[in-house]
Amino acid sequence: MESGDDKSVEKHRVHLRPDTLRDAAPATLHLLPCEVPANRPAPVGRFFTPAIRRAPDGLRVSFRGRSLRGEEVAVPPGLVGYVMEMEDPGEVLGAPDFAPSPGRELGEEQEQELERNFDRFIGATASFSSFTLWGLETVPGPDAKVRGALSWPSLAAAIHAPVADD
């Protein structure tokens, strides 16, 4: 599929650091109906401390003057959610970037090192078994994308289960 963006697509292999899953502390998560055009750490706890009100028709809160309605959503049974963070490749690899000089080929060891530079590593920083799903003015309905994502594990198990020969 072609994209109209002029940005080049970076391809990486992503590796999970399994030891971080054991050490991931529980976190309280809120899925807000907005987009933040930034991708960096932020002191969210300083700015978003919701005074959630429980109402008969769900949770209510005000965020920057807008009314949000929400509900607690549980992660499907048998699964755990993780907040993942990509490690800085420079810290992980500790190897300088290098490219061959024009007309000169890389040796096998250099090719392997260059290939490792395409690897990215992620680790869990927190875990969760539920989160609060917020909608603007209304509680997100059953057609919300996150609900489809959460229903996928049981659907995948059902379609891949053996079928009895009746």
Side-chain angles (χ1 to χ4, degrees):
M1 180 179 348
E2 290 187 29
S3 170
D5 294 338
D6 289 337
K7 297 177 185 176
S8 64
V9 175
E10 291 186 42
K11 295 184 179 183
H12 302 288
R13 290 182 300 201
V14 179
H15 305 277
L16 170 66
R17 295 213 184 270
D19 57 318
T20 63
L21 300 178
R22 288 186 296 275
D23 301 332
T28 301
L29 299 180
H30 297 271
L31 185 55
L32 298 171
C34 63
E35 184 176 327
V36 178
N39 187 11
R40 62 182 181 269
V44 176
R46 266 184 49 202
F47 302 108
F48 184 67
T49 53
I52 300 172
R53 296 177 306 280
R54 296 200 180 275
D57 56 346
L59 304 173
R60 292 178 181 261
V61 72
S62 178
F63 180 65
R64 298 190 64 157
R66 303 290 302 265
S67 175
L68 300 180
R69 302 270 313 281
E71 65 181 333
E72 282 290 316
V73 176
V75 173
L79 299 177
V80 177
Y82 289 101
V83 177
M84 307 301 283
E85 184 173 79
M86 189 172 298
E87 296 176 357
D88 179 23
E91 289 178 14
V92 176
L93 299 174
D97 290 334
F98 59 86
S101 303
R104 188 171 156 227
E105 292 189 25
L106 294 174
E108 184 178 333
E109 185 177 308
Q110 288 176 315
E111 280 184 19
Q112 289 174 352
E113 184 66 31
L114 188 58
E115 187 173 295
R116 278 195 299 273
N117 284 334
F118 287 101
D119 289 349
R120 295 296 181 257
F121 296 85
I122 60 172
T125 59
S127 65
F128 60 96
S129 58
S130 67
F131 58 92
T132 307
L133 178 62
W134 295 102
L136 191 57
E137 308 291 337
T138 63
V139 175
D143 59 336
K145 290 180 184 178
V146 70
R147 295 202 188 280
L150 291 175
S151 65
W152 176 249
S154 61
L155 178 61
I159 64 174
H160 292 289
V163 178
D165 295 332
D166 287 339

